[in-house]
Every structure is written in C-alpha cells, then in structure tokens.
Amino acid sequence: MVQTIAFYVMAAATLGAALAVVSAKNPVHSVLFLITAFFSSAGLFVLLGAEFLAMLLVVVYVGAVAVLFLFVVMMLDVDFAALRGEFARYLPLGGFIALILAIEMALIAASVATKGAAAANKLPSASGDAPSNIEAIGAVLYTDYAYFFQAAGMVLLVAMIGAIVLTLRHKSHVRRQNIGDQIARTPEAGMEVVQIKPGAGVEL
Amino acid sequence: MVTFTDGLVWTLITIGQILLVLLPVLISLAFLIWMDRKVWAGVQMRKGPNIVGPFGLLQTFADFGKFLLKEFTIPSSADKAVFVIAPLVSTMLALGAWAVIPFAPGWVVADVNVGILYLFAVSSLGVYGIIMGGWASNSKYPFLGALRSAAQMVSYEVSLGFVIITVILLAGSTNLSEIVMKQDGGFWNWNFLGGGLKNLPLALVMAPMSMIFFISFLAETNRPPFDLPEAESELVAGYQVEYSSTGFLLFMLAEYSSIVLMCGLISILFFGGWHPPFPMEWASSWPSWVLNLFYVFVFAVKIVIGFFMVAMVKAIVPRYRYDQLMRLGWKVFLPLSLVAVAVVAIWVVYTGGAA
C-alpha cells in the first residue's frame, strides 16, 4: 500500500519533471527539473530493490554530471527570444527524431508484452539470492561482461585523455607556483645577513 | 497480511524515530556552534560569547530568535522560487543524511545496505543548495561563490569516494552498522590502524587515509581553511550575501549539521563508531538499553572530539588560495587515495584480511 503510493508519487514526479525539462523557458530551470527527474527515478530504483543502482544514479548523474550541466548553463548568456524564434526552424527535424524514438519505444513495449526476442534473455535479478545488490552486480559485471566492462573503461580513459590533450596548454609567460621548491627553500638560500658599516651602502 | 494500518503504524513509528534523532542533533548543534565560537575565541585570546546564560551557553538560542524575527528579504531581481527553495534543499539534505547514522547497535532510523553510499550521495547533493542560492540571488558575489563551491565540492568528492572505498574493502560491507561492528573490541581493531592486529601493516595506509578524509570533508563542507565559497575578504559572504533571517539561518544550520555529520562519519569509518577504545566484555551483563546509552555517549564524545579538531583548524590554519585548493585535491589527494585503494585491495585479496 505504502509502496504503491510511493510508486505513483515518484513516477508522477519523474514524468512531471521530465515534461518541465522541455517546457521550461529558463534553461537553468530546465536543468533543475532534470535533476528532479534523476532524483525521483533513483527513488523508483529503490522501490525495485536496486538500492545500489539508485545510489550510483544519484552520485554519478545528480552529484557530478548535472552539476557540470548546471555550471555551464548558468554561465551561458542565453538570448531567450532568439531561441524561441528558431523553434519553428528545428520543428521538422526534432519532430522526426521524436517520432523515431516513439516508434522504438512502442516496438520494445510490444516485444516485451508478447514475450518476443527479449524474453529469452533472463535479466539478473536485483534482489535475488545474492546477499546484496553490490555482490549481485559485481558477480555479473566481472564475469559474464568482463570484456565489455573493460572496453567501457578504455573508452572513458581515451575520452578523458582526449579532453586533457585538447585543453591543456602550457603558457610560457605564466609563472606557476612550485610548492616543492618553496618548501625546500632554506634560510641560507633566501636570506643574507649583511653587516652595514655606518655611511656605506649595501651591494645588492 | 499487510494492511493499510500496518503501513500507518510503521509510518508513525518512523516519524517518532526521526524526531528522536533530529531533536537531540539540533539541540546539540546549538551547543556545538557555541563551542566552535569559544574555541575560536580561546585561540585568539578573546572571551567569546559569555553574556547570554551561564558561560554564554544560550548565545546560539538568542541568535536563533533574532534570525527568526528579522525580515526575510528577497532581492527584486532574484529568481524567487529558486531563491526560497535553495536553503530548504540544503537543510533537508543535511538533516536527511542522519537517517543512516548508527548511534548504537540497532539504534538507527534506516539500516540500509548501501548506507555509506547514501551518505556519499546526500553529501554530493549538498552542492545544489549552494549553487541554486548563488545563482538565484542574481548578484555577482553570490554567483562567484556558487561557482567556486561547485568546482571545489566536485573535486574533493573524488578523493572522499576513494577513501570510503578503502574502508569498504576492509570491512567488506557498505552497511554502516556492520562497518562499526567489525571494529569491536579495542582501539587496535579500529580501521585507522587497519582494522585488527593481523592487518596492522595497513595502518601505514589507513592512518594517512583518515587524515585525507578529515581534510577532504573540511573542503566538502566549505569549512576553513577551504571556505572559499564564502571568503569574506574577497566575496563578502559568498553565496549567502543576499540571504537574511530564516534563509541565512537554514544555510547556517545545514553547514553545521553536515560538519557534525561528517565528524560522526569519520568516527564510524575510522575510529570505531560507538565502540569505546577498550574491550567491553565485562559489561555484557548490563541491560542492553543501558549498554546502548553508554555506546551513544561514546559516539557523542567522538563527535565532539572531531568537532573540536574542526574548530581548531578554523582557528589556526590560514585560508587556501583557489589554485592551491585545486592542486591539493587533484594532484595530491587523488593519487594518494587511488594508490591506497590499490594497496588495500591487494592486501585484502592476498591475506583474506576482510574476513
């Protein structure tokens, strides 16, 4: 009973927030609604018994990815009037993509309902015999899907190195702080005690 | 047969438990804020708050009343909805995190399996209150503070996560109660010494990890010396410049609540949680609630010691410059904690240390 109520509340929140993402006029509001949608779908994961996935969704998407979205969107100076003027121009392309996605979703729903191609592959249960989510996921990820998992890791590594190579520039005129040098500096190296005779200057 | 009334009873009991946790937390928070100011004053050879109540103990309550009675102003060009929601988000997340903290064996509101990940998730959400507040104020200083805060919290979360993974590897569980129970029977079983005498060589890794965790959570909660989001010498008060009365109070509450929570978390992860530093076999004949009360007392003492350390750091250490902060997070803590994860994992695999 409580779970049913919780499901409907969170499902409604997810759908409502997802709608608001595309209909909100202010892009920052869109990102905030996107975060709401992520968060309430994490709640749906908890209801399914997949606590680990729910927490990962919150940590990775809400805690890291969406922060960067928000970061970028907040700093952009978007001209809302110009954006709305181009709405009609992108309508055919956007409508076409939306149509393809709708057809795909309908096909998947139909094949699940008729126990088609997808029914042959048994899904590893989130709350099965394994004592915890993490062990269940680990047992599948590091055995059956070990190569895919490693491949995904390589893709991420290449993307990360690529981002660094594209953006890292050493400017020669910028003076950088070298903390090792600073700490290694001794009084002898940085300071000289000079006895000054009255009336005589100091050689520097 | 689960009926609607069962759900209702469960809901009422849970609400009772939540109140039982939050009210003591909020009240002790008032005295911890007083302690923070007293420690700070002591280091600077001032007296600190000493007028309201004995030794100034009621100063925080006086401030609280003052905050409540002032006018809540919303800047005319602010995004009103986001501006009002931001402090609420901060406070709700900071207080909601207490749900999974175990105070004594079985004394926890939600004993979930992924407790430590929940805490990590909630603390990483804390940045939203600050970003939203800074952006919605529609003013330059708050916005700069919010941007700094976003970059800073995302950076230090990474090393925080790796340090947490070392503890998870040692304990073999993500349930906070189980992590604490593994550290039973004396301080030599605490995780900062590797969790048990047979893991003693790991103390070389885990003791520095506990220090990295301490420093990272200072950065994560925007405490000095990492309080760049509200650096008063550069940004007036950072993201909370435009907030007055209740909004400011809620931000303040969230900040201190998450600091105290992190003090509790470091004692759970590294310093034995509710376990006193000596074996407790001699007390096994005590009634369990007396024993549990003793455990809660021990846990509270550890939190207060942790908070004392945080207050001392605020009093002693000068503020980091922004590039130094980023260097420390990415170039020092991240490689160190990554190496530590590898070392602990290898140790656990080749000695069966987690069992």
Side-chain angles (χ1 to χ4, degrees), chain A residues 1-2 5 26 28-29 31-32 35 39 51-52 54-56 58-68 70-71 73-75 131-135 176-177 179-180 182, chain B residues 2-4 7-8 10-11 79 82 93 112-114 117-122 124-125 127-128 131-132 135 143 146-148 150-151 154 157 172 174 321 323-324 327 331:
Chain A
M1 184 66 197
V2 177
I5 296 174
N26 190 331
V28 173
H29 290 173
V31 178
L32 291 176
I35 291 158
F39 196 72
E51 311 149 325
F52 181 59
M55 291 307 144
L56 277 196
V58 174
V59 170
V60 175
Y61 280 92
V62 184
V65 176
V67 172
L68 297 181
L70 200 59
F71 204 101
V73 170
M74 279 191 327
M75 298 222 274
S132 78
N133 270 216
I134 302 175
E135 282 177 47
R176 288 170 171 273
Q177 183 181 24
I179 295 200
Q182 284 187 349
Chain B
V2 179
T3 60
F4 182 71
L8 200 67
W10 177 83
T11 310
D79 189 319
V82 180
L93 289 170
V112 292
N113 275 329
V114 290
L117 285 171
Y118 171 83
L119 276 186
F120 189 53
V122 168
S124 69
L125 287 182
V127 67
Y128 282 112
I131 298 189
M132 283 162 71
W135 176 79
F143 188 58
L147 289 183
R148 282 184 177 191
V154 169
E157 240 157 53
T174 49
R321 211 173 58 204
D323 61 318
Q324 293 170 334
R327 175 189 167 272
K331 292 188 180 171

Side-chain angles (χ1 to χ4, degrees), chain B residues 113-121 164 167-168 174 176 179 265 269:
Chain B
N113 275 329
V114 290
I116 196 164
L117 285 171
Y118 171 83
L119 276 186
F120 189 53
I164 287 177
V167 175
I168 294 176
T174 49
L176 287 172
I179 289 175
L265 186 61
L269 292 180

